[in-house]
Amino acid sequence: MPIHTMRAIRLHGHGGPEVLRYDEVPIPEPGPGEVLVRVHAVGINPPDWYLRDGMSNLPPETRPKFSLPTIPGTDLSGVIEAVAEDVDGFSVGDEVFGLLRFPGFEGSTYAEYVAAPASDLTLKPAGIDHVHAAGAPMSGLTAWQYLIELGHDHPSPFQAAQHRPVPLDARTTVLINGAAGGVGHFALQLAKWKGARVIAVASGAHESFLRELGADEFIDYTKSRPEELVHDVDLVLDAVGGPDSKRFLHTLKRGGSQFPVFFGEFDEEENATLGVTVTGTTVRSNSAQLAELGRLLDTGTVRVAIDSTFALADARAAHERAARGHIQGKLVLTVA
């Protein structure tokens, strides 16, 4: 008898990590334009816990629509099990990874199987395993779309200005706040790939890790205030963002830019007085960009750091780990 059910983590209500339930549900059927993926690993990202707690941190008008119960998750690496008739370019048995349906919340990757839009997937780099591949899509594409190439023309809900990456080369100095986390450690490596000088800001425990990734300078924010030590940088990528983000404006030279990944509180008049630009964007699924990042992963030019892994059934423990913060790289759920 064929198996028609699978295990998945579902939300039936909102709250802390304890609301993540390990359920038995039907295996999805791939629709037009989709493939069925047998999931091997799932990357964990902040939108997973925003969804879990009901997106209370987003203004009501910007909250995506979703209904309960729902399977969280956007990032996966796995193997194609079935292909819809209208899908070209993928075959059963292909190893793939991707960021699914983002910025929506219907990725449903915390599961043994996922019906995935083929357009959101690309072939997994042969040189890395499923755990590392699953850690790459959202964080890697966020860093890519902030620093390298936007890849879409959707306006940000938080600003009128279209985000534009700053050209990076050997003449550019970039300060990255939150450099040890998912987005931060990719941003550091991509900036180094482009030849830029990088100042990494994180807690002291991450110094050797960040120097290994290529940081030219390291600042332990628990001991020093970056805005007092650093001046005349071209670009700040603040992977932390939030209300304290604007203190980094004072590290910029006139004509410099600050990119808060989670939009902070800024004053347009202050920005104008300082002669700086502040813009952000929302990452979007982009398989062509992910394929480019995949080539860098395959050659070891960029690597995915894994903080820790948890079995799918232990998603609650993974979210509890996320809540403690100070993550070095990525948290990943292993499925098979």
Side-chain angles (χ1 to χ4, degrees), residues 191-210:
K192 292 303 300 178
W193 171 57
K194 287 292 187 183
R197 179 169 170 269
V198 176
I199 303 167
V201 179
S203 64
H206 299 304
E207 180 172 4
S208 61
F209 166 66
L210 292 170

Side-chain angles (χ1 to χ4, degrees), residues 100-141:
L100 303 190
R101 299 188 169 95
F102 202 78
F105 282 81
E106 294 83 43
S108 302
T109 60
Y110 284 32
E112 292 179 326
Y113 293 87
V114 173
S119 58
D120 288 350
L121 297 172
T122 192
L123 293 174
K124 180 185 78 63
I128 61 171
D129 61 18
H130 287 293
V131 167
H132 288 79
M138 178 175 282
S139 292
L141 282 173

Side-chain angles (χ1 to χ4, degrees), residues 80-94:
I80 292 179
E81 289 255 328
V83 179
E85 287 182 10
D86 63 339
V87 170
D88 294 319
F90 288 112
S91 306
V92 171
D94 284 347

Side-chain angles (χ1 to χ4, degrees), residues 148-197:
I148 308 298
E149 182 190 12
L150 188 52
H152 62 80
D153 56 6
H154 296 268
S156 165
F158 302 107
Q159 70 196 24
Q162 175 74 294
H163 177 75
R164 282 187 176 78
V166 169
L168 301 177
D169 58 30
R171 298 183 300 267
T172 320
T173 299
V174 182
L175 183 147
I176 299 172
N177 184 41
V183 172
H185 89 291
F186 280 113
L188 189 167
Q189 294 176 83
L190 290 174
K192 292 303 300 178
W193 171 57
K194 287 292 187 183
R197 179 169 170 269

Side-chain angles (χ1 to χ4, degrees), residues 20 60 75 92 125 138 154 191 233 236 244 265-266 299 306 317:
L20 296 168
D75 280 7
V92 171
M138 178 175 282
H154 296 268
V233 304
V236 170
D244 295 331
E265 296 166 11
F266 294 89
T299 59
I306 303 297

